[in-house]
Amino acid sequence: MKPKNLPREIYNPFTNRNRKGRFLLCKRLKLRPDNYLEEYCADLEVINIMAPIRPAEEAERCPQPSLSEEQEASEYLVARCKKIRTSDYMLFSSDALVHIASDSKASEKYTWLGERLRLTFKMMRSDSRLIRTMCHSHGLMQCSSKNPQVNVIWMGAPVKSVKMRELMPWQRLNQFPRSTELTKKDRLYENIERSKSIFGEAYDFIPEFYVTPRENQKMEIAFDRVLKEVTAAGGELCFPGEFIVKPTNSRQGKGIFFANSMADIPAEGPLLVSRYLKDPYLVNNHKFDLRIYVAVTSFYPLVAYVYSEGLARLASRPYDTSASSADSNEYVHLTNYSINKNSTSFVRNESMSSEDLGHKWTLGALLRYVENEGKDAKLLMLRIEDLIVKSLLSIQNSVATASRTTLRFACTNFELFGFDVLVDQALKPWLLEVNLSPSLACDAPLDSLLKTRLIADLLNLACVPLLDKKIIDSVTPALRKSMNASQDSETSDPDELELDPKCAKTLKRRPVGLKRSVLTKKIVSGNTSLIPNTEKKFDQIVRKVELEEGRRGDFIRVFPRNGTWGMYSPVMEDLGSDDFDERLFAEVITKKNMKNSSEQIATSSSSSSSSHSTFSSSAFSSMRIEEVSDLFHDVMMECSKYPSLADVPIEVREIISPWYEEASEYTKKITQDGETYASKLPTIRSTARLRTKSCAEFYEVRKVQMAKKKEAEAAAAKENEPVVLQAVAAKRVV
Ligand SMILES: Nc1ncnc2c1ncn2[C@@H]1O[C@H](COP(=O)(O)OP(=O)(O)OP(=O)(O)O)[C@@H](O)[C@H]1O
């Protein structure tokens, strides 16, 4: 948690005028103790010996800051250079983007480390400019999509599990196996519905739904029921429809329409037909939805973060459910930016001093609006966090099962999800969908500011190891051999695994900082399996979660945190005897609490009650933990009954009060009055656009293809021109 009374970190990624942020920036990118990687990979000796990065004399050669206006950021980097030996993971900062367009010496401060270690990245089925700019700004070289040996892999579409099996422990991939269970509309709804059938109303946060064509019968009954209900109440069917219909695999509002009867549903599917939420909370009489960014660094045990900055997307025309409305339905009832930007009423937010201008606001601006209306915006955010945690829990079993067979190493995967949430009149949040690769387009100043910080923080959470390519190359054969052996036979004898002689030779040269004891042990014995077993993986995850605490930037960890095990364990599926979630809670939360409060040690008598932790004695004595958990889920779902924190029963309030306090992060401003920000991402100067030969060739070919395509389009437009003109002229004559 950020220290109280300190301003939110405000700095401008495009001017490098770091206003109040220097102290916070250093804090935010806190470095770890010397032996971190050793601890982290204590069991994976092959990584252990790769920990040292950089000879001390090189730190002295590292570019020194000039005493210019950029001094503040430079000081931070000098500190970073000095400490670099103590940091084992790449530190990303949105500040780096300031220099990448100019030939400024200053950019070296950010790029030298990536270049020196020859770190690489590749992008597959994605060409996000933001990711490319961020990686190039930190000296990472872009490789062609075929290169298997890269440090960071950014995928824009689902990855095959066979590819995931090849991941090396130092690689980072922005996806978990089977996360499509969350990001395909029908699967998401079905997973949550399944959890609801097991755990009841705690999972009541998606609208009633049907998937065509397999649920056509049920849907017909639902249409009849709704018609009867409406006519019995003396009303009329809602305009534009009681149900909203979406293709299960489309996005950006494509193919959406409304339905009131079976006759409106086409035979071809699959389609997701869900109940239209006709009473949305309105902002200045406009419907809106929220885009919440969620990062997951582990699914089992679950480790989830919500970004404290997000977006509110407003419909461009006022909300109206009367059939007489002359306005186009899509601009009234759909809030997608991709649709509304085409409306003549759409107002772009080009200003940076204002977060609530036009039809795209920041999450903070929206929450401040809600607060001004006398509503409890922070409780709304706790409910949104709750639905996020439950959505992730609903697919935990699937992802954990797939991960067991797919992921050889812990900590290689992370994922960013975009949760779309609609808020109704009672301030109840409803989950509409979860996006696999949320848009990282930066076409307005707010987008650029928010998303550059988001991606820097996300990559910091991912913990990209700082390992020299030479060392990686030298140990890869041994590791591959070990991986293949374990693939051939799950029970392969680890004693048979030997380091590649070439690798051993490299190791004998002893990379700087390598502990002789480690080296000797490895070379002499050579009898440890290089693939960690489940228990070792768990230990690595525990250490990574501790590491993430110092690198999470503006992400708020929503699971695990104080009280979550007690509240959520009754609505979590049993995933076997590992009990990773409970054990992680005990390691990361209970132990910390015990350390912080010796009083708590005295009061927690049994180990089970201690794992439920943070209960105050008053709440714990009056109610059983299961009862408090039931009450908690009631509070999360029943928004009219508990509209503000003051209405929440004391037993639950005691647990959620720290979360509520932390939720003030969501309501803060991200911009600074009087400050101006770049509206677009910088163009990377050619010398900084590091690419491998094959990647450069690919981009050359693409450039030519794009130019040809443009030419063809222009030619086609020219050809059509007279026809259109003729048509217009003919119309006029008529
Ligand atoms: N059940 C619902 N009730 C009310 N409005 C809804 C409902 N479902 C969707 N909408 C509206 O329709 C819009 C598009 O829905 P949704 O986000 O599910 O589709 P999409 O095409 O996947 O959009 P994208 O992927 O671009 O976010 C939402 O932003 C929301 O305004």
Side-chain angles (χ1 to χ4, degrees), residues 54-65 78 81-85 112:
R54 201 178 123 71
E57 62 279 11
E58 198 161 323
E60 279 140 38
R61 273 195 278 127
C62 163
Q64 294 299 306
V78 174
C81 293
K82 281 185 186 152
K83 283 187 173 181
I84 200 66
R85 287 180 62 117
W112 71 268

Side-chain angles (χ1 to χ4, degrees), residues 185 246 252-253 275-277 287 289 335-336 420 433:
K185 288 189 180 71
K246 310 170 209 174
Q252 302 189 324
R275 194 70 196 260
Y276 187 60
L277 302 165
K287 180 178 171 176
D289 78 345
T335 48
N336 306 63
D420 288 351
E433 68 152 347

Side-chain angles (χ1 to χ4, degrees), residues 675-695:
E675 190 71 271
T676 52
Y677 300 84
S679 59
K680 283 186 185 152
L681 287 177
T683 307
I684 312 163
R685 74 191 136 80
S686 52
T687 48
R689 209 179 294 133
L690 300 177
R691 285 173 179 160
T692 55
K693 204 171 156 225
S694 53
C695 182

